[in-house]
Amino acid sequence: MSHKDIERVLVTREEIQAATQKLGKQITEDYGDKEIVVIGILRGAAIFMSDIIREIDLYMDIDFMDVSSYGDGTESSGEVKIIKDLDTNVRGKHLLIVEDIIDTGRTLKHLVDLFKYRQAESIKIATLLDKPERRIVKDIEADYIGIEIPNEFVVGYGLDFKQKYRNLPYIGVLKSSVYE
Ligand code: IMP
Ligand code: MG
């Protein structure tokens, strides 16, 4: 149904799978015998989260946080709001934040500061997509990046436009007629 609203596919299902496997392997090697807490940022990262944790061979807890820096459009509001907080006490823990995409960097900046304040032992970031051209917060970099993409609004594999298209199995660019 929703496929017809897609202008073109930017990242295929196979490319997403390959990137996820590669990151999972690297994360497994980097943490060695450490135990981690993997934190998925709802709702966008839910799909990537469920795939990447099965590529990581470490003892882990998982938890989710729902934050929003977006309205219903394609532009960030600049405001980060916590809609659902963690259930886990992160003090002294090794955290791996899993995001769908880093755009302006505001969301992650806010979360990293929050987890530092809560005295996490270490904080790393894994993101499926990175849009470096759009970065506003300069000191935010992901430790693990799946795929760099150009400055285009994308949907699919968790990413939405007005809460739709999250179930597409690939990352695609919407036809401009859909949001104009
Ligand atoms: P940031 O705080 O600007 O880095 O925004 C990150 C959040 O904005 C992501 O978790 C996404 O939910 C959303 N976002 C950024 N770019 C896109 C996009 O191209 N498509 C859909 N959502 C996006
Ligand atoms: Mg998001």
Side-chain angles (χ1 to χ4, degrees):
M1 233 351 252
S2 46
H3 295 283
K4 67 170 180 4
D5 295 342
I6 301 301
E7 176 82 49
R8 64 180 200 286
V9 174
L10 205 60
V11 189
T12 66
R13 199 176 191 152
E14 292 73 26
E15 287 168 328
I16 295 170
Q17 195 185 15
T20 306
Q21 285 171 348
K22 194 174 154 202
L23 293 185
K25 193 160 175 271
Q26 202 191 328
I27 291 165
T28 304
E29 282 167 14
D30 289 356
Y31 280 97
D33 55 8
K34 290 198 189 93
E35 195 170 319
I36 62 175
V37 180
V38 185
I39 299 170
I41 309 306
L42 295 171
R43 285 168 253 178
I47 317 285
F48 178 47
M49 171 90 168
S50 72
D51 282 344
I52 196 164
I53 57 174
R54 286 175 288 174
E55 303 294 339
I56 302 173
D57 184 16
L58 298 169
Y59 285 108
M60 67 170 70
D61 284 13
I62 65 167
D63 204 344
F64 291 93
M65 214 163 153
D66 191 359
V67 297
S68 129
S69 66
Y70 258 64
D72 257 356
T74 61
E75 278 297 317
S76 170
S77 67
E79 200 187 315
V80 179
K81 196 166 70 179
I82 295 179
I83 296 158
K84 184 219 168 280
D85 206 339
L86 297 176
D87 295 322
T88 310
N89 180 353
V90 300
R91 187 170 178 187
K93 305 275 175 66
H94 296 287
L95 309 186
L96 179 67
I97 305 174
V98 173
E99 251 294 30
D100 50 357
I101 188 166
I102 310 184
D103 188 34
T104 63
R106 284 184 180 123
T107 307
L108 281 169
K109 169 74 179 159
H110 188 87
L111 290 175
V112 167
D113 288 350
L114 178 67
F115 296 149
K116 278 184 188 162
Y117 173 78
R118 292 180 180 175
Q119 299 181 304
E121 175 70 26
S122 72
I123 304 165
K124 284 189 176 187
I125 298 167
T127 186
L128 175 66
L129 303 174
D130 187 17
K131 260 192 223 174
E133 278 172 57
R134 289 264 303 171
R135 199 78 81 256
I136 290 171
V137 181
K138 297 294 176 198
D139 59 343
I140 281 292
E141 280 307 325
D143 302 275
Y144 305 99
I145 297 169
I147 299 143
E148 261 193 28
I149 62 165
N151 182 11
E152 282 186 281
F153 191 79
V154 292
V155 296
Y157 197 75
L159 292 123
D160 72 302
F161 174 65
K162 293 192 177 173
Q163 302 305 332
K164 300 288 187 289
Y165 308 103
R166 294 193 195 275
N167 57 319
L168 291 175
Y170 51 78
I171 306 283
V173 179
L174 267 186
K175 287 180 181 160
S176 54
S177 58
V178 176
Y179 53 84
E180 267 165 8

